[in-house]
Amino acid sequence: MEKVKSSIPGILICLAIAVAGWLLGKTFPIVGGPVFGILIGMLLGVFVKDKTIFKSGTAFVSKKVLQYAVILLGFGLNLQVILQTGRQSLPIIVSTICTSLIVAFIIHKLAKVPGKTATLIGVGSSICGGSAIAATAPVIDADDEEVAQAISVIFLFNVLAALFFPMLGGALGFDTTSGDAFGIFAGTAVNDTSSVTATASTWDSLYGLGSQTLDKAVTVKLTRTLAIIPITLVLAIVRAKKEKDGKNTFSFKRAFPMFIAWFVCASIITTICVSLGIPADVFSPLKTLSKFFIVLAMSAIGFNTDIVKLVRNGAKPIFLGACCWAAITVVSLTMQHLLGIW
């Protein structure tokens, strides 16, 4: 009971920040609630010199609530729809994910970017931005500053993609009578869901396609989200093997992140229910709660982050993010061309 009471101040301040971040994210979707949560949290943290009273609550929010957000994210995944409509984009998705992770590893070695930061940026760039970072951070035991650094880098290139990709698509001669080609491009080359939505919607608006591009892009994006499962499992196994000592043997059960298992269960529940005729909209409140939990967790992370240190150490992570972003863009376009989609 005493532990619960000590957590209340930290939870309340995170909640206040998250509500503000959520509302601003709704007003400016190209930025998104998680980024606003981190920014407001960091700014507020500058003025709070002694954070001892908030420590227990912010630690709970940044760790446990982050895991709950990932679990609830599963209720937005209908595996049957993804397998049916995402098959066309699967080779491109696999190629871009592998490319981003390889590039992140190479730049990590050459530029000496900290390993956990490089992992978060590589995974966030290749899979689904903030959601992938949220899933990966607990598995590799990344601290708040590493998560904030990765989210900040992903945000920068999300904004650039949303602004420039529609112009790039027009310059490259993408089909303007159908949203399929550009939708696949947006779904595979843009990191975060909000920015995928903004990029695809811009293309629909430019060429009067209704929601053709948006529908395709979101389906491709959801297919990418499934890569969270194998990536986090591999990272968990690698970490467990590194941490074992002479007395302990490797245990898959100990390495397995249980919140990922619940994420899979949530996806299966959604798939079964929808196949039985239950409307997918039934799960909308849980999907919304998942998004709010991510904003809530990012608020805690921002509050605990040293903004001066973040800026001082930002050059190398931004360079790594730029390399991942450029490589994913090139590979996505190349694969589409080879497969005859564009």
Side-chain angles (χ1 to χ4, degrees):
M1 190 65 182
E2 189 63 34
K3 188 176 181 181
V4 173
K5 285 183 179 178
S6 67
S7 298
I8 291 175
I11 293 173
L12 288 177
I13 196 168
C14 291
L15 191 59
I17 296 168
V19 170
W22 177 266
L23 294 174
L24 286 169
K26 288 291 185 183
T27 306
F28 304 100
I30 194 172
V31 178
V35 174
F36 278 120
I38 281 185
L39 291 175
I40 297 170
M42 285 193 295
L43 290 173
L44 183 60
V46 171
F47 298 101
V48 180
K49 301 302 179 185
D50 186 1
K51 299 180 182 177
T52 306
I53 191 175
F54 304 112
K55 188 174 181 181
S56 177
T58 55
F60 171 77
V61 173
S62 65
K63 302 297 181 185
K64 290 297 182 182
V65 172
L66 198 56
Q67 294 182 21
Y68 300 152
V70 175
I71 293 169
L72 292 174
L73 187 68
F75 288 106
L77 298 176
N78 183 339
L79 301 178
Q80 196 171 25
V81 172
I82 289 172
L83 290 174
Q84 287 174 351
T85 59
R87 197 177 300 132
Q88 181 188 25
S89 60
L90 192 59
I92 305 172
I93 292 170
V94 172
S95 299
T96 53
I97 289 174
C98 291
T99 298
S100 179
L101 295 177
I102 291 169
V103 168
F105 178 76
I106 292 172
I107 302 301
H108 153 63
K109 290 294 186 181
L110 294 178
K112 301 191 185 310
V113 180
K116 291 179 182 178
T117 301
T119 300
L120 292 175
I121 293 173
V123 171
S125 298
S126 62
I127 301 177
C128 54
S131 300
I133 291 171
T136 305
V139 175
I140 64 173
D141 197 27
D143 63 31
D144 289 346
E145 289 184 358
E146 288 164 334
V147 174
Q149 190 83 71
I151 289 284
S152 301
V153 170
I154 295 299
F155 159 69
L156 172 62
F157 295 105
N158 277 341
V159 172
L160 291 176
L163 292 175
F164 295 115
F165 275 9
M167 289 185 285
L168 177 63
L172 293 174
F174 271 86
D175 185 4
T176 58
T177 61
S178 166
D180 280 1
F182 191 81
I184 291 174
F185 175 54
T188 54
V190 185
N191 303 329
D192 202 70
T193 303
S194 58
S195 297
V196 169
T197 301
T199 306
S201 297
T202 299
W203 187 263
D204 280 331
S205 299
L206 285 172
Y207 300 105
L209 297 175
S211 64
Q212 285 184 43
T213 314
L214 178 60
D215 293 343
K216 190 71 175 182
V218 169
T219 301
V220 173
K221 181 67 173 56
L222 290 176
T223 308
R224 278 173 72 190
T225 303
L226 288 178
I228 286 175
I229 300 168
I231 292 294
T232 50
L233 291 182
V234 169
L235 289 172
I237 292 170
V238 169
R239 182 189 170 203
K241 284 186 174 180
K242 284 182 178 179
E243 291 182 349
K244 71 174 183 177
D245 54 38
K247 296 178 182 178
N248 296 323
T249 56
F250 171 74
S251 168
F252 181 78
K253 184 178 180 181
R254 191 156 48 88
F256 189 85
M258 284 308 298
F259 71 95
I260 294 297
W262 290 115
F263 165 80
V264 174
C265 288
S267 304
I268 293 172
I269 290 170
T270 301
T271 304
I272 292 172
C273 289
V274 172
S275 68
L276 293 175
I278 298 173
D281 291 343
V282 168
F283 298 101
S284 293
L286 293 175
K287 290 159 58 180
T288 302
L289 185 59
S290 169
K291 294 175 183 177
F292 181 75
F293 274 4
I294 289 178
V295 178
L296 184 60
M298 293 305 138
S299 300
I301 287 168
F303 185 73
N304 288 329
T305 298
D306 184 341
I307 191 170
V308 176
K309 186 177 176 182
L310 187 71
V311 172
R312 188 167 56 238
N313 297 334
K316 288 183 179 180
I318 289 173
F319 174 67
L320 187 150
C323 292
C324 288
W325 183 60
I328 288 171
T329 302
V330 171
V331 169
S332 176
L333 291 171
T334 302
M335 287 296 295
Q336 283 198 71
H337 193 66
L338 291 174
L339 293 171
I341 298 172
W342 160 58

